[in-house]
């Protein structure tokens, strides 16, 4: 029994190291640019790791406990699978359909600092499209300092994830 527990601790440790690496790489990838979908994939990969971890834990413990506990584990396992599929849907659609373009007029940029500190700083590009709708995209810090108020830009973006591939 002790060997089995040691094996699970090793697997858990490897899992948390992989999850940490995926998190760090996701934080370091650019928020706009040609590789923006790679950043989105790393975000989804982190959710997949969590979902698969839940499913794996439920499979390991599937025979232990009462019938109600086993049913609860099945429900948690199914929730893990649903989590994986749900977080992947927009990225998969964007990979299949590609980018779209929009011309924004009267652009503005804004900065939002969340409660969590430096990792929760978000930069946004706002503008009015050709139909008069106000549109907002999250951009990188470099783009925030590059664009001025009131101009016109062409934004190439992925429509489901609203990630900006290029700004001209």
């Amino acid at each position: 029994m002790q060997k089995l527990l040691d094996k699970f601790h090793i697997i858990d440790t490897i899992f948390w190291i992989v999850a940490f690496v995926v998190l760090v790489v996701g934080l370091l990838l650019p928020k706009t640019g040609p590789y923006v979908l790679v950043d989105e994939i790393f975000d989804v990969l982190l959710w997949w790791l969590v979902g698969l971890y839940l499913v794996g834990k439920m499979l390991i413990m599937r025979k232990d406990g009462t019938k109600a506990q086993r049913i609860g584990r099945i429900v948690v396992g199914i929730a893990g699978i649903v989590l994986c599929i749900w977080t992947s849907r927009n990225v998969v659609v964007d990979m299949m359909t590609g980018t779209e373009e929009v011309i924004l007029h009267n652009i503005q940029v804004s900065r939002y600092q969340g409660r969590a500190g430096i990792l929760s700083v978000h930069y946004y590009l706002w503008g009015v499209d050709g139909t008069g709708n106000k549109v907002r995209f999250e951009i990188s810090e470099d783009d925030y300092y590059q664009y001025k108020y009131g101009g016109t830009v062409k934004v190439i973006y992925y429509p489901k994830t609203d990630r900006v591939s290029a700004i001209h």
Side-chain angles (χ1 to χ4, degrees), residues 48-167:
W48 268 84
L49 286 171
V50 169
L52 293 176
Y53 183 78
L54 286 174
V55 170
K57 284 294 186 181
M58 296 308 111
L59 288 174
I60 289 169
M61 300 184 318
R62 71 176 183 251
K63 295 180 183 176
D64 297 338
T66 65
K67 186 174 184 174
Q69 289 172 329
R70 289 193 303 263
I71 290 171
R73 289 186 194 111
I74 290 170
V75 169
V76 170
I78 291 170
I81 293 169
V82 169
L83 174 72
C84 294
I85 293 168
W86 183 261
T87 58
S88 302
R89 72 191 191 292
N90 289 338
V91 176
V92 171
V93 171
D94 277 349
M95 286 171 40
M96 291 171 45
T97 60
T99 59
E100 293 183 6
E101 293 181 5
V102 65
I103 306 288
L104 297 180
H105 306 282
N106 299 324
I107 63 167
Q108 301 173 10
V109 290
S110 62
R111 179 180 183 268
Y112 173 74
Q113 174 94 31
R115 295 182 203 163
I118 193 166
L119 295 178
S120 65
V121 176
H122 298 275
Y123 301 94
Y124 297 99
L125 173 69
W126 300 74
V128 179
D129 67 7
T131 61
N133 295 325
K134 194 163 190 172
V135 181
R136 178 186 83 162
F137 294 104
E138 187 168 358
I139 58 174
S140 68
E141 182 179 10
D142 293 338
D143 291 333
Y144 171 78
Y145 289 111
Q146 182 177 354
Y147 294 99
K148 306 291 183 222
Y149 291 92
T152 299
V153 294
K154 177 171 77 170
V155 178
I156 301 171
Y157 69 100
Y158 290 96
K160 287 293 185 182
T161 56
D162 283 332
R163 300 297 296 264
V164 175
S165 177
I167 304 173

Side-chain angles (χ1 to χ4, degrees), residues 32-49:
T32 57
Y35 302 109
V36 71
L37 216 50
V38 175
D39 178 48
E40 195 68 27
I41 289 169
F42 269 84
D43 294 346
V44 168
L45 182 58
L46 191 60
W47 285 109
W48 268 84
L49 286 171

